[in-house]
Amino acid sequence: SDLSRRGFHISDWRKTASPFSIEQPTPPNKVAWKYGLQVEECVNVTVPSWILDHDIQQGQSLSSQVEFCLYSHYRPIMNMEAHRMIAAKSDIMLINYGLHYRTGMEDEVEFKSTIEALLLEFKTNITGCTLIYRETSAQHFDTHDSEYQFSSSKCVPHKNNTVPEHGWHWRRNILQEAAVSQNFSVVDPYGKVYHYNTDQVSQQTMEDKVILLPFHNFSSKLSDLHGNAQDCTHFCYTPHMWYPLWRHFRIAMDHIIFNG
Protein backbone atom coordinates (compact mmCIF):
# COMPACT_ATOMS: atom_id res chain seq x y z
CA SER A 1 0.00 0.00 0.00
CA ASP A 2 0.99 3.64 -0.30
CA LEU A 3 1.30 3.90 3.50
CA SER A 4 3.80 1.03 3.59
CA ARG A 5 5.79 2.60 0.77
CA ARG A 6 6.08 5.78 2.80
CA GLY A 7 7.42 3.97 5.86
CA PHE A 8 4.27 3.35 7.90
CA HIS A 9 4.00 -0.01 9.67
CA ILE A 10 0.55 -1.55 9.26
CA SER A 11 -0.73 -4.40 11.42
CA ASP A 12 -3.00 -7.21 10.27
CA TRP A 13 -6.71 -6.43 10.19
CA ARG A 14 -8.75 -7.59 13.19
CA LYS A 15 -12.37 -8.47 12.49
CA THR A 16 -15.14 -8.67 15.10
CA ALA A 17 -18.53 -10.05 14.11
CA SER A 18 -20.66 -8.27 16.74
CA PRO A 19 -18.75 -5.37 18.26
CA PHE A 20 -21.71 -3.91 20.15
CA SER A 21 -23.46 -5.54 23.05
CA ILE A 22 -26.49 -3.27 22.68
CA GLU A 23 -29.62 -4.52 20.97
CA GLN A 24 -30.29 -2.90 17.61
CA PRO A 25 -33.95 -3.60 16.75
CA THR A 26 -34.94 -3.38 13.09
CA PRO A 27 -37.52 -0.64 12.38
CA PRO A 28 -41.03 -2.02 11.74
CA ASN A 29 -41.74 -3.23 8.21
CA LYS A 30 -38.10 -2.82 7.14
CA VAL A 31 -35.54 -5.25 5.70
CA ALA A 32 -33.42 -6.35 8.67
CA TRP A 33 -30.04 -6.67 6.93
CA LYS A 34 -30.08 -3.03 5.84
CA TYR A 35 -30.10 -1.65 9.38
CA GLY A 36 -27.46 -1.32 12.09
CA LEU A 37 -23.72 -1.90 12.34
CA GLN A 38 -22.80 -5.55 11.98
CA VAL A 39 -19.02 -5.87 11.59
CA GLU A 40 -16.00 -4.07 13.01
CA GLU A 41 -12.57 -4.31 11.34
CA CYS A 42 -9.58 -2.50 12.86
CA VAL A 43 -5.95 -1.96 11.92
CA ASN A 44 -3.10 -0.24 13.76
CA VAL A 45 -0.70 2.08 11.96
CA THR A 46 2.66 3.20 13.35
CA VAL A 47 3.74 6.63 12.15
CA PRO A 48 7.36 6.76 10.86
CA SER A 49 9.93 8.85 12.68
CA TRP A 50 10.39 11.31 9.81
CA ILE A 51 6.80 12.47 10.18
CA LEU A 52 7.05 12.69 13.97
CA ASP A 53 10.24 14.76 13.65
CA HIS A 54 8.51 17.06 11.18
CA ASP A 55 5.54 17.49 13.54
CA ILE A 56 7.85 18.39 16.40
CA GLN A 57 9.50 21.03 14.23
CA GLN A 58 6.02 22.42 13.55
CA GLY A 59 5.31 22.60 17.28
CA GLN A 60 3.06 19.52 17.36
CA SER A 61 3.54 16.47 19.57
CA LEU A 62 1.24 13.77 18.21
CA SER A 63 0.83 10.07 18.92
CA SER A 64 2.95 7.61 16.97
CA GLN A 65 0.08 5.06 16.97
CA VAL A 66 -3.16 5.40 15.04
CA GLU A 67 -6.03 2.93 14.96
CA PHE A 68 -8.45 2.82 12.00
CA CYS A 69 -11.72 0.94 12.43
CA LEU A 70 -14.21 0.23 9.64
CA TYR A 71 -17.87 -0.66 10.16
CA SER A 72 -20.38 -2.25 7.80
CA HIS A 73 -23.22 0.21 7.47
CA TYR A 74 -26.17 0.52 5.08
CA ARG A 75 -28.75 2.39 7.14
CA PRO A 76 -28.41 3.40 10.81
CA ILE A 77 -30.73 2.61 13.67
CA MET A 78 -32.48 5.84 14.60
CA ASN A 79 -31.38 5.87 18.26
CA MET A 80 -27.71 6.32 17.18
CA GLU A 81 -26.50 4.43 20.27
CA ALA A 82 -23.94 2.45 18.25
CA HIS A 83 -22.61 5.67 16.73
CA ARG A 84 -22.29 7.22 20.18
CA MET A 85 -20.26 4.22 21.35
CA ILE A 86 -17.93 4.50 18.36
CA ALA A 87 -17.50 8.25 18.81
CA ALA A 88 -16.73 7.80 22.52
CA LYS A 89 -13.51 5.95 21.62
CA SER A 90 -12.62 7.98 18.51
CA ASP A 91 -11.09 11.33 17.62
CA ILE A 92 -12.62 11.31 14.14
CA MET A 93 -15.80 9.73 12.77
CA LEU A 94 -15.70 9.61 8.99
CA ILE A 95 -19.11 8.41 7.90
CA ASN A 96 -20.74 7.72 4.55
CA TYR A 97 -24.17 6.32 3.99
CA GLY A 98 -27.14 7.24 1.85
CA LEU A 99 -26.56 5.28 -1.34
CA HIS A 100 -29.26 2.80 -0.29
CA TYR A 101 -31.83 5.56 0.04
CA ARG A 102 -33.58 6.32 -3.25
CA THR A 103 -35.44 9.37 -4.43
CA GLY A 104 -38.99 9.31 -3.17
CA MET A 105 -40.82 10.70 -0.18
CA GLU A 106 -40.45 7.74 2.24
CA ASP A 107 -36.71 7.21 1.72
CA GLU A 108 -35.91 10.91 1.66
CA VAL A 109 -37.78 11.50 4.92
CA GLU A 110 -36.03 8.57 6.60
CA PHE A 111 -32.60 9.66 5.33
CA LYS A 112 -33.06 13.21 6.60
CA SER A 113 -34.35 11.93 9.96
CA THR A 114 -31.24 9.77 10.45
CA ILE A 115 -28.92 12.68 9.63
CA GLU A 116 -30.79 14.90 12.09
CA ALA A 117 -30.56 12.20 14.76
CA LEU A 118 -26.82 11.79 14.17
CA LEU A 119 -26.18 15.54 14.40
CA LEU A 120 -28.32 15.80 17.52
CA GLU A 121 -26.32 12.97 19.10
CA PHE A 122 -23.10 14.85 18.39
CA LYS A 123 -24.56 18.07 19.78
CA THR A 124 -25.88 16.61 23.04
CA ASN A 125 -23.96 13.43 23.93
CA ILE A 126 -20.61 13.39 22.09
CA THR A 127 -17.50 15.41 22.92
CA GLY A 128 -13.94 15.24 21.62
CA CYS A 129 -14.87 13.60 18.30
CA THR A 130 -15.03 15.42 14.96
CA LEU A 131 -17.76 14.38 12.50
CA ILE A 132 -16.82 14.15 8.81
CA TYR A 133 -19.37 13.14 6.17
CA ARG A 134 -18.07 11.68 2.92
CA GLU A 135 -20.45 12.45 0.09
CA THR A 136 -21.89 9.38 -1.65
CA SER A 137 -20.41 8.39 -4.99
CA ALA A 138 -22.32 8.73 -8.25
CA GLN A 139 -24.02 5.82 -9.99
CA HIS A 140 -24.18 5.26 -13.75
CA PHE A 141 -27.30 3.22 -14.46
CA ASP A 142 -29.19 3.76 -17.70
CA THR A 143 -32.04 5.59 -15.93
CA HIS A 144 -33.33 9.15 -16.00
CA ASP A 145 -31.13 10.27 -13.06
CA SER A 146 -28.37 7.60 -13.38
CA GLU A 147 -29.39 6.04 -10.05
CA TYR A 148 -30.48 2.47 -9.45
CA GLN A 149 -34.10 1.77 -10.26
CA PHE A 150 -33.65 -1.63 -11.93
CA SER A 151 -30.78 -3.66 -13.37
CA SER A 152 -29.48 -2.17 -16.60
CA SER A 153 -27.59 -3.79 -19.45
CA LYS A 154 -24.82 -1.20 -19.47
CA CYS A 155 -23.28 1.61 -17.48
CA VAL A 156 -23.60 5.01 -19.14
CA PRO A 157 -22.16 8.49 -18.55
CA HIS A 158 -23.91 10.32 -15.76
CA LYS A 159 -27.03 12.11 -17.01
CA ASN A 160 -26.17 15.36 -15.20
CA ASN A 161 -22.47 15.25 -16.06
CA THR A 162 -22.94 17.21 -19.30
CA VAL A 163 -24.65 20.16 -17.60
CA PRO A 164 -22.18 22.83 -16.39
CA GLU A 165 -22.44 23.65 -12.70
CA HIS A 166 -25.18 21.06 -12.30
CA GLY A 167 -25.38 21.76 -8.59
CA TRP A 168 -25.61 19.53 -5.57
CA HIS A 169 -26.87 16.01 -5.50
CA TRP A 170 -30.16 15.51 -3.62
CA ARG A 171 -28.51 13.64 -0.73
CA ARG A 172 -26.14 16.55 -0.23
CA ASN A 173 -29.12 18.91 -0.15
CA ILE A 174 -30.69 16.74 2.54
CA LEU A 175 -27.47 16.84 4.58
CA GLN A 176 -27.58 20.64 4.36
CA GLU A 177 -31.27 20.79 5.34
CA ALA A 178 -30.68 18.49 8.31
CA ALA A 179 -27.69 20.57 9.41
CA VAL A 180 -29.74 23.77 9.30
CA SER A 181 -32.48 22.14 11.38
CA GLN A 182 -29.94 21.21 14.08
CA ASN A 183 -28.01 24.52 13.93
CA PHE A 184 -24.94 22.93 12.34
CA SER A 185 -22.72 24.42 9.67
CA VAL A 186 -21.65 22.22 6.76
CA VAL A 187 -18.02 23.16 6.12
CA ASP A 188 -15.44 22.22 3.52
CA PRO A 189 -12.07 20.64 4.46
CA TYR A 190 -10.63 24.14 4.97
CA GLY A 191 -13.34 25.00 7.51
CA LYS A 192 -15.30 27.36 5.24
CA VAL A 193 -19.09 27.14 5.22
CA TYR A 194 -20.94 25.75 2.21
CA HIS A 195 -23.95 27.85 1.25
CA TYR A 196 -27.10 25.89 0.57
CA ASN A 197 -27.33 24.32 -2.91
CA THR A 198 -24.11 25.91 -4.16
CA ASP A 199 -20.38 25.32 -3.90
CA GLN A 200 -19.76 28.88 -2.65
CA VAL A 201 -18.16 29.11 0.79
CA SER A 202 -17.77 31.75 3.49
CA GLN A 203 -15.88 32.18 6.74
CA GLN A 204 -18.84 32.39 9.16
CA THR A 205 -19.64 29.15 10.98
CA MET A 206 -22.02 27.89 13.63
CA GLU A 207 -20.52 26.53 16.85
CA ASP A 208 -21.36 22.96 15.73
CA LYS A 209 -19.94 21.81 12.41
CA VAL A 210 -19.91 18.77 10.16
CA ILE A 211 -17.11 18.55 7.59
CA LEU A 212 -18.16 17.52 4.09
CA LEU A 213 -15.74 15.66 1.83
CA PRO A 214 -17.11 16.21 -1.72
CA PHE A 215 -17.11 13.19 -4.03
CA HIS A 216 -20.30 12.93 -6.09
CA ASN A 217 -19.40 15.34 -8.88
CA PHE A 218 -15.89 13.88 -9.23
CA SER A 219 -17.11 10.27 -9.37
CA SER A 220 -19.92 11.17 -11.79
CA LYS A 221 -17.27 11.40 -14.52
CA LEU A 222 -16.04 7.82 -13.97
CA SER A 223 -18.67 5.73 -15.73
CA ASP A 224 -15.95 3.60 -17.36
CA LEU A 225 -14.55 2.40 -14.02
CA HIS A 226 -17.33 -0.11 -13.30
CA GLY A 227 -16.19 -3.69 -13.74
CA ASN A 228 -19.58 -5.17 -14.59
CA ALA A 229 -22.20 -3.90 -17.00
CA GLN A 230 -24.97 -4.76 -14.51
CA ASP A 231 -23.17 -3.20 -11.53
CA CYS A 232 -23.05 0.55 -12.10
CA THR A 233 -22.53 1.35 -8.41
CA HIS A 234 -19.18 -0.18 -7.38
CA PHE A 235 -15.92 0.90 -8.98
CA CYS A 236 -12.76 -1.00 -9.91
CA TYR A 237 -9.92 -0.03 -7.61
CA THR A 238 -7.42 2.57 -8.69
CA PRO A 239 -5.55 4.88 -6.28
CA HIS A 240 -6.19 7.78 -8.64
CA MET A 241 -9.92 7.56 -7.95
CA TRP A 242 -9.45 7.88 -4.19
CA TYR A 243 -6.68 10.47 -4.26
CA PRO A 244 -9.09 13.47 -4.14
CA LEU A 245 -10.79 12.03 -1.04
CA TRP A 246 -7.49 11.33 0.73
CA ARG A 247 -6.34 14.85 -0.17
CA HIS A 248 -9.53 16.42 1.20
CA PHE A 249 -9.20 14.28 4.33
CA ARG A 250 -5.57 15.36 4.83
CA ILE A 251 -6.53 19.03 4.46
CA ALA A 252 -9.38 18.58 6.96
CA MET A 253 -7.07 16.85 9.45
CA ASP A 254 -4.47 19.61 9.14
CA HIS A 255 -7.16 22.21 9.75
CA ILE A 256 -8.44 20.34 12.81
CA ILE A 257 -4.95 19.92 14.29
CA PHE A 258 -3.64 23.41 13.64
CA ASN A 259 -6.84 25.45 13.99
CA GLY A 260 -8.97 23.42 16.36
Side-chain angles (χ1 to χ4, degrees), residues 102-113:
R102 304 180 190 174
T103 53
M105 183 60 67
E106 183 178 353
D107 264 15
E108 290 184 24
V109 168
E110 181 182 327
F111 181 45
K112 183 179 179 182
S113 296

Side-chain angles (χ1 to χ4, degrees), residues 66-104:
V66 179
E67 183 181 56
F68 292 91
C69 290
L70 305 179
Y71 300 89
S72 298
H73 190 242
Y74 284 95
R75 298 186 180 193
I77 301 297
M78 193 66 71
N79 63 23
M80 295 295 161
E81 180 66 11
H83 296 71
R84 184 194 63 77
M85 294 174 66
I86 294 171
K89 64 176 187 175
S90 305
D91 298 309
I92 302 290
M93 179 183 285
L94 173 58
I95 191 168
N96 163 246
Y97 69 93
L99 199 63
H100 291 265
Y101 293 99
R102 304 180 190 174
T103 53

Side-chain angles (χ1 to χ4, degrees), residues 125-177:
N125 295 322
I126 295 172
T127 59
C129 180
T130 299
L131 178 62
I132 302 177
Y133 182 86
R134 196 217 85 182
E135 191 175 29
T136 54
S137 56
Q139 295 171 298
H140 298 94
F141 289 95
D142 192 10
T143 57
H144 74 280
D145 58 1
S146 296
E147 298 199 350
Y148 177 81
Q149 303 294 335
F150 48 81
S151 296
S152 59
S153 60
K154 60 181 178 178
C155 302
V156 300
H158 199 279
K159 297 299 173 62
N160 288 331
N161 194 35
T162 58
V163 181
E165 303 297 329
H166 60 76
W168 288 17
H169 188 261
W170 67 269
R171 294 186 187 91
R172 188 168 171 180
N173 286 336
I174 285 181
L175 171 67
Q176 181 71 40
E177 293 170 3

